[in-house]
Amino acid sequence: MKVFFTRKIFVLGILFFITSRILGQVTLQGIVVDSLTQEPLIGASVFLMGTSYGSATNLNGEYKIPNIPDGHYRLRISYIGYLTKTMSIQLSGTKTIELFVQMETGKIEGKTIVVTAQAQGQIAAIQQQLTSDKIVNVVSEKRIQELPDFNAAQAISRLPGISTLSSSGEANKIVIRGLAPQFNQVTIGGVSLASTGSAQIGVASQGGTAGNIYNDRSVDLSMISPYMLKNIAVYKSLTPDLNADAIGGVVNMELREAPSELHTDLLWQSGYTAKSKTYSNFRAVGSISKRFFDDLLGIYALGNIESYDRNADNMNASYFVTDSKHIGSNGYLPVRVSTVTLNRHVETRKRYGVNLILDYRLPSGSIKSVNMYSRLRSDYKDYNTGFNYQTNDLSFAFRGGVNDVDVALNSLNFTNDFGFMSADINIANSYSRNHLPAAPDFQFTQTRGVGTSTVNTTPENLLYLIGFGGPSNTFLSSLGLYSSDYKENNQSYKANFKFPYNLGDMFTGYFKTGGEFDYRQHNNAQNTPYASVGGTSTIQTAMNNSILQQWPNIVFNAGLNRFPATSLGSLESAGFLDNKFGPVLWTPNVGLLTDITNFLSANPSFSADSATAVQPGGWFNGLFQKLANTYKYIERYYAFYAMSEINYENLMIVGGVRYEKVNSLYEAWNLKDGRDTKTQQAFLVTTYPKNEFWLPMVQARYKVTDWFDIRYSYTQTLARPDYHQLSPHFTIGYSRNSVVAGNPNLKPAQAYNHDVNFTFHTNELGLFSIGGFYKTIKNFTYGTSYALYNNAPEGFHVINDYVIAGTAPLSGATLYTYVNSPYLAYVKGVEIDFQTRLWYLPSPLDGIVLGINYTHIKSQATYPWLDSRTTFIPPRSTVTSVFDSTRTGRLVWQPDDILNTYIGYDYKGFSTRVSFIFQGNSVSGVGNFTEQDGFTRDYFRMDASVRQVLPWYSIELYLDINNLNSRSNVSAQKSIEGFTNEQNYGLTANLGVRYRL
C-alpha cells in the first residue's frame, strides 16, 4: 500500500511538472537601477499585478521571472524610498525578454529627493529583509561602509537580537537571540567557515599539565575585515537548503566582486588608543577590479594590513560557598573570596587579509572562484598579580607569546539556468589554524603574603589582608613553555537543483532539492613542558647549580635552595585601574627568565627524562606534557533536502524537510603515571560518534496590504556537541580522587523553533517590525559532576569505566564530565525594529536618518548537578542512590535586553552618525550554587563617525571613534556583587583618508 501511494505521488508530481512546462512560455529578466546614479537596487520587488508571478533583485540588482504564459500584464516595481513604477507589457513568442528598469526618487514641492549615503545603506537592508523567504536581518554594503566598526562581528552586533563576546576588548564572536557562538553557523557565500578554536592557558604544576584546551565550533569574526564584504545577512529562521546546525541562526557574508569598468579603492587610516596614550594604530586597504572580454570575465583583488594595540588592565575573582545549608538575610548562601588576579595585558594585534575573486559570465549562468585568506597575529604579554585567600599565597606570574589565527576559503561555484531547471554546484575548502608556537610561563610565590578571608564581602574590602614582603621573600616556583596548535580543514561538496512551475496565473513557485557532503578534520596538539623550581632533590640541586653557572649574578638563597625574586624582576609603583585595587607590586624580567627556560628545555642533563632517578624538580617533558590534550577528530557530514515554494496571490509558503547524518572518528590519548616521566604510558583510544536527523521546516508570508505583511515559521535545528565535550580522553588525578572526562555518547541538542513577525513599510514610515520567537531545546549538553562507585543506576558511570593500565580511581572519586540534560530548555523573546529617514521634511532636516531596535529575551535551562552516594548494607552489599540537586537558570551569555540606536545626518558630501549599544546583563558562568554564578553587568557604549567627501578625485576624509564613553566590560558575582571580571580598554579613534574611483 505504501509503495503504491509513493508511486501515485510521483506520477502526480510528473504530471504537475509537465503541465507547468506547457503553461510556462516566457522568461522576463533584467536589472533595476537608480535613475540618477545607475547603481543597482538590491531587493527591489518586481511582480506582475493580479498574478503570483514575481521576483526580487539580487545583490547585483538583477531579477528573473520564469515560465510566464503569453499575455498582456501590468508590471509593478517597488522599492522603499522610490516612486513605485507600473508599466504595461505584452509577453509572447520570445523565450526570454530583457527589461531594464530605472527607478526615480520623486519630488516634493518641485525639489528632487536625494537618497543619501546612509539612506542607501538603510534602504538596501530593508528591501532585502522584505523580499526574503526567511526571517532575516541585513547589513548592506553601503551600511557597512558607513559604520565605525573595526570588524564583521562589531557590524553584525547592531542588528536586532545580536550581542557579542570579546577578545582583548574587541568584539569577535556573536550571540544570536541568547544562543552562544557555537550554536550558530558562519558562512561566506553559503560555505561554512572552519572553526577557529580557543585555548585556556594554565600554569603547569608538578605532576600535572597546563589548563585543558576547550575547542568549540565557533568562528572568530574579528578575522573578517568589513572592507571585504558586500553584504551580511543573519537568517533567524531556516529553510531546508541551509545547514541545520544552527539553533541561533546563520550568518552569511558575501564578498565583493568586479563591476564593469576599472575600479580602484585605496584607504589609509591611523589611530589613537586612550588606554596606552599612543597614536600608533594604522590600517591600509587597497582593491582593484575590472571586467574583460565584453564584461564576461571579472577580476577583483583586495589586500589589507592593520596594526593596533589592545592594552588593558583586567581583574578576575573567584568565590566559594562557605555554608551550603543556611541562607543569609540577603536571601543567598554566604560566600568568601577565593582568589583575585590583577592582569596587566599588553598586546599588539596585526591583521592581514587577501581576497581574489574571479567570475565568468555564461549565457545563462556563471562560474565563480572565491579565494579569501586572513591572519590575526596577537603579540601579547600578561603580567599577573594573584591573591589567594585560601592558601594565603601571593603570586606573580607572566604569560606571553605570539598567537597566529589563520582563516582561508577557496571555493568554485557553477550556476546555470537550463530553462526547465537551474543548477547551483559548489566545491569548497575551508581552513583554519590557531597556532601559539612558544609561550613562556613563569610563576613566583610568596607564602603567607595574603591573609585568610573570613567575611562575606567584596574583594575591594580585603586589601588590608595583602602584605607584600618584598622580592627577597618571593621565590621562583615554576618555569614553563606552553605551545598549542589547532587545525581544522573542511572539504565541502554541494549541489542544488531548482525546478520552477506554475499552474495558471494564480499558483507559481518552485521545487528545489539537493545535497551536501563535508569531510572535516580537526587536529589539536598541546605541549606543556615545565620545571618545578624549589626543593633539595638531586635533580633540583643540579639544575640550580647549572643556572648559577650560566648566570652567576643571579641572587640565590642557598639555605632554601631557591631563587628569590630579587634579581629576576623589578619593583613597580604603577597604579592598576586607577588604583581601584592597589598598584602593581612587582614584575618579572621576561627576557632573563625566557633565556633560563630555553636553557633548561635545550639541556637534557637536567630533564626528568634522564637516566637519573626521577625526583621532584627538573625539566618535565614527558607524555603527560605532550599528549594529554592531543587529539584528532574526523567528521563526515551527509545532508539531503527537498523543499518547495508556492505562491498564491499574496500568500507565499515554503516547506520541506532536511536529512542530516554525521559519522565521526575521535582519537585521543589516555595516560598513566603523571610524575614519573620514565614510566609514563600512553594508550590510544578511539571512538566513533554518530547521529542522524530528519528535520521538517515550513515558512509562510502573507501580504495583508502593500505596506503590511505577516510571517510565520516552524523549523527544527541542531547544535552538535563541542569537540572537547565529545572526547574519549579522561584524566585520573594523581591522588585518584578525581576524574575529568569527555563523553563520546553525547547527542546533538535539537531545537523546535517558532517565529512570527509583523512588518509595516512605506516611503514615509520606512520600516517598523515586531516579532516573537520561541525555542524549545532538548538534549542540551552541560558539564556536571558526581561520585564514582563500583555500581550505579543506569546512565551513570562506575569506577571500572575509568581504568588506565590497572590504575582505577578511588571509591567516591568525583567525576567531572558532560551529559545531555534530561530537561527541556527554552528561549523566547520579542524583537522590535524601526528604521526611517526624514526625507519629507524641509531642508536641512531632510538629511536625518534614524534607527532603533530592541530585543527582550528570556531563557530557562536546568543545570544537572548530580550527586551519587553509596549506602552500605551489612554484611557486604551496597546500594547507590542518586540525589538530584539540579537548579534552573538562564543560558550562558543570554542577555535579557539588547538595544541599538543611531542617528545620522547627510548633507551633500558630509555625513555623520552617532550610535549607541546597550547589552543587558548575562550569565557568564554557572557553578554548583547560584552564588558561584558569574554575570556580566549592563553594558552601554557610544560610537561616532564623521565623513566628508572632498571635491577632488573622490577623496573622502573620515573620523571613527569607538567607545566614546570609555566603558569597561564588567562581570560580577550575584549575592554580594563583587567583580568576577573587569576589562578596561578605553576609547579608540581612527582618522583616515579614502580614494575611490
Side-chain angles (χ1 to χ4, degrees), residues 314-317 924 935 969-973 978-983:
N314 304 324
M315 302 190 299
N316 293 280
S924 57
F935 69 93
N969 299 82
V970 181
S971 298
Q973 187 270 347
F979 69 84
T980 58
N981 176 264
E982 180 169 347
Q983 302 177 12

Side-chain angles (χ1 to χ4, degrees), residues 720-899:
R720 293 184 170 86
D722 291 330
Y723 308 125
H724 68 277
Q725 296 172 337
L726 284 168
S727 175
H729 165 76
F730 62 86
T731 300
I732 301 176
Y734 194 77
S735 62
R736 297 166 56 206
N737 284 320
S738 64
V739 179
V740 178
N743 183 358
N745 296 318
L746 290 172
K747 301 175 183 177
Q750 186 171 2
Y752 304 85
N753 314 292
H754 297 269
D755 290 84
V756 63
N757 200 72
F758 301 89
T759 304
F760 305 85
H761 52 92
T762 67
N763 282 351
E764 292 76 13
L765 175 67
L767 177 137
F768 175 76
S769 68
I770 181 168
F773 58 90
Y774 189 98
K775 299 174 181 288
T776 304
I777 308 168
K778 69 176 184 180
N779 289 326
F780 239 140
T781 297
Y782 298 108
T784 191
S785 63
Y786 57 88
L788 290 170
Y789 297 103
N790 289 323
N791 58 72
E794 184 178 355
F796 289 82
H797 290 278
V798 297
I799 289 174
N800 286 336
D801 292 330
Y802 300 101
V803 178
I804 304 176
T807 299
L810 297 175
S811 179
T814 302
L815 170 66
Y816 300 92
T817 189
Y818 301 94
V819 297
N820 287 121
S821 174
Y823 306 94
L824 293 176
Y826 74 79
V827 185
K828 62 183 179 180
V830 176
E831 294 176 346
I832 301 173
D833 186 17
F834 176 55
Q835 301 178 57
T836 190
R837 64 188 184 101
L838 307 183
W839 57 270
Y840 45 83
L841 295 182
S843 180
L845 300 178
D846 57 350
I848 296 175
V849 179
L850 300 171
I852 183 169
N853 61 70
Y854 169 72
T855 305
H856 179 70
I857 307 172
K858 184 177 181 180
S859 67
Q860 180 173 299
T862 302
Y863 295 97
W865 298 99
L866 305 177
D867 181 18
S868 57
R869 307 171 188 172
T870 296
T871 302
F872 292 89
I873 301 176
R876 295 182 179 179
S877 62
T878 62
V879 175
T880 301
S881 303
V882 177
F883 296 83
D884 186 345
S885 52
T886 60
R887 62 187 186 85
T888 60
R890 283 189 286 171
L891 292 176
V892 175
W893 301 124
Q894 176 254 302
D896 283 343
D897 301 285
I898 304 169
L899 177 69

Side-chain angles (χ1 to χ4, degrees), residues 85 187 266 441 479 562 716 743 759 911 971:
K85 176 171 285 190
T187 63
L266 303 175
D441 192 333
L479 296 163
R562 302 186 71 181
Q716 291 187 22
N743 183 358
T759 304
S911 175
S971 298

